[in-house]
Amino acid sequence: MTAQLINGKEVSLKIQDRIRKQVAERQTKGLRQPGLAVILVGDDPASAVYVRNKNIACEKVGFASFSHILPASTSEEELLSLVNELNNNPAVDGILVQLPLPKHINGQKVIETIRPDKDVDGFHPYNVGRLAVKMPLLRPCTPKGVMTLLEEYGIEVKGKNVTIVGQSNIVGRPQALEMLMQRGTVTICHTATRDLPAEVNRADIIVAAVGRPNCIKGEWIKEGAVVIDVGINRLENGKLCGDVEFDVAKERAAYITPVPGGVGPMTIATLLENTLQAAQLHDKAA
Ligand code: GUN
């Protein structure tokens, strides 16, 4: 079997187009332009690229974008004070603090300072908790983007064995909650998992979110499985690759996401969706 490619780039453009139209409609109704504030602390080059891409995407759909690029020496207090200022700014619907943060800053404290109704990353314990009890409000972007891709391609989760490799707060854990909400039978694998190849081989749907190039071997994939690769790893030759050994996996899977062009573009498209959703929450509250 040769897998059908899941084209995240195409789906993300469709979402962006829909959001652009919704923003234009808001304008004709006299409603505010949704606003997203992005904070970057330090000079991690990959983070700088993401932040730039977020700003470009905001402008494309007609959002107001507020960019705060701070030096690595920024204190936790200064960062918390900026978050509080943005919490109180009515032009800002969404606040995103790019992770990872420098070591001297307590990331969890920063996340918990963001107002839950402006937490467009969905990382605040309030939003994580709502997702856990099947009452989601703002949902983490990458896992939600994965669910959108599955839906777009007509891939049902109900009753399927879903194996998620990786237990991060950003992807693995919220992805498990998303899959469970769709009634998948969910397994989360991590470094203490005893037999990773066997867990992957049982899966009808695999989500790889490890961050190590080609660590999921193609031969582990069950014939006809759906492979979602969240990894974006840069090799020494400058090329990007995922967590899954793509060339082998694609000969066994029914569907597979490429890297780049799979899950990656969905994260930003979903961030835009969440920001529009936050603006709608704030319309109601006004
Ligand atoms: N770093 C890697 N992924 C993400 C994300 O989705 N949001 C934020 N804020 N930082 C990240």
Side-chain angles (χ1 to χ4, degrees), residues 21-35 62-64 90-91 93 276 278-286:
K21 287 185 184 129
Q22 284 175 282
V23 172
E25 272 171 35
R26 286 176 65 83
Q27 205 172 9
T28 61
K29 289 185 195 150
L31 289 169
R32 247 169 357 90
Q33 187 184 28
F63 287 1
D93 294 292
L276 179 59
Q280 288 162 347
L281 291 174
H282 298 141
D283 291 343
K284 282 193 205 137

Side-chain angles (χ1 to χ4, degrees), residues 54 96-99 121 123 142 170 267:
K54 283 167 192 166
L96 180 146
V97 180
Q98 184 67 32
L99 302 175
D121 257 330
F123 294 163
T142 302
I170 295 180
T267 299

Side-chain angles (χ1 to χ4, degrees), residues 34-36 63 93-94 120 270-280:
L36 174 66
F63 287 1
D93 294 292
V120 285
T270 308
L271 173 68
L272 298 175
E273 275 183 350
N274 284 358
T275 304
L276 179 59
Q277 186 189 351
Q280 288 162 347

Side-chain angles (χ1 to χ4, degrees), residues 186-214:
V186 180
T187 304
I188 309 181
C189 300
H190 42 75
T191 49
T193 296
R194 258 182 273 167
D195 190 348
L196 182 61
E199 300 296 348
V200 170
N201 191 250
R202 274 189 317 120
D204 304 305
I205 301 174
I206 297 129
V207 181
V210 181
R212 220 166 339 112
N214 302 318

